Amino acid sequence: MLVSGEGTNLQALLDEALPVVAVASNKPGARALERARAAGVPTAVFELADYPDRAARDTAMADWLEERGVRLVVLAGYMHLLTPPFLARFPDAVVNVHPSLLPAFPGAHAIEEQLAAGVAESGATVHLVDEGIDSGPVLAQERVPVLPGDTAETLHERIKAVEHRLLPKVVRELCAR
Ligand code: GRF
């Protein structure tokens, strides 16, 4: 799994005993790394500043994942775009979870943008990753209501509760293929 933040989706997969064999992050301080360590899963940090460019960083990260026998890469709150050389190493085997009903509201500010747009409905989407921003084929999607008085925090929490069911379900199916 690739993570940059809290790691609640990582935790959902760990709690369901899915075979998480490696967790990598671009951020050394990510809470998600602590969750992985607590579960005894190998972790590594690949900071952009330590490499000449993004492709070099992604190649090092792909090497590390491959060495650990990774067959499916799950992005859970990973906040960097992956370069084509990385995606080529795991064809049709990189998935992401996103807090909107894609293709609506891609990008890093989906929650704030949905609130600003005044949508009545949001959702969670699990999709295959391609070279675009949250643009690959949708694998699973579930609607979540936006309620009067919602803040970014309350809406995001409601969406995350759905993500924590949807992502493990899709990962389980992909692991079985
Ligand atoms: C999730 O809402 C996910 O959809 C988005 O980033 C958030 C990650 O949360 N891409 P966490 O780190 O799994 O708690």
Side-chain angles (χ1 to χ4, degrees), residues 9-34:
N9 280 287
L10 163 66
Q11 192 66 56
L13 266 67
L14 292 170
D15 290 348
E16 295 214 14
L18 284 158
V20 181
V21 295
V23 174
S25 181
N26 61 308
K27 281 199 178 173
R31 164 87 175 101
L33 291 171
E34 289 172 34

Side-chain angles (χ1 to χ4, degrees), residues 5-10 76-79 96-99 156 160 163-164:
E6 264 304 298
T8 62
N9 280 287
L10 163 66
Y78 182 70
M79 298 307 284
N96 180 41
V97 59
H98 182 78
H156 203 173
K160 277 187 164 195
E163 292 181 348
H164 298 162

Side-chain angles (χ1 to χ4, degrees), residues 55-168:
R57 189 273 303 273
D58 282 6
T59 297
M61 192 159 70
D63 288 345
W64 185 80
L65 294 170
E66 227 169 57
E67 282 160 18
R68 272 143 201 89
V70 166
R71 291 193 297 122
L72 177 71
V73 179
V74 179
L75 277 55
Y78 182 70
M79 298 307 284
H80 279 180
L81 267 183
L82 291 168
T83 53
F86 184 98
L87 294 172
R89 298 277 289 274
F90 301 96
D92 287 326
V94 183
V95 299
N96 180 41
V97 59
H98 182 78
S100 77
L101 294 171
L102 289 174
F105 301 101
H109 307 291
I111 303 283
E112 291 79 4
E113 287 171 11
Q114 288 170 97
L115 286 174
V119 295
E121 214 171 40
S122 176
T125 301
V126 180
H127 67 97
L128 280 179
V129 173
D130 63 12
E131 290 162 26
I133 299 175
D134 302 318
S135 56
V138 170
L139 299 174
Q141 201 161 52
E142 198 173 308
R143 294 169 188 284
V144 172
V146 178
L147 301 179
D150 257 344
T151 62
E153 289 70 31
T154 58
L155 177 57
H156 203 173
E157 280 313 306
R158 194 174 308 119
I159 295 170
K160 277 187 164 195
V162 172
E163 292 181 348
H164 298 162
R165 269 192 292 105
L166 205 60
L167 184 63

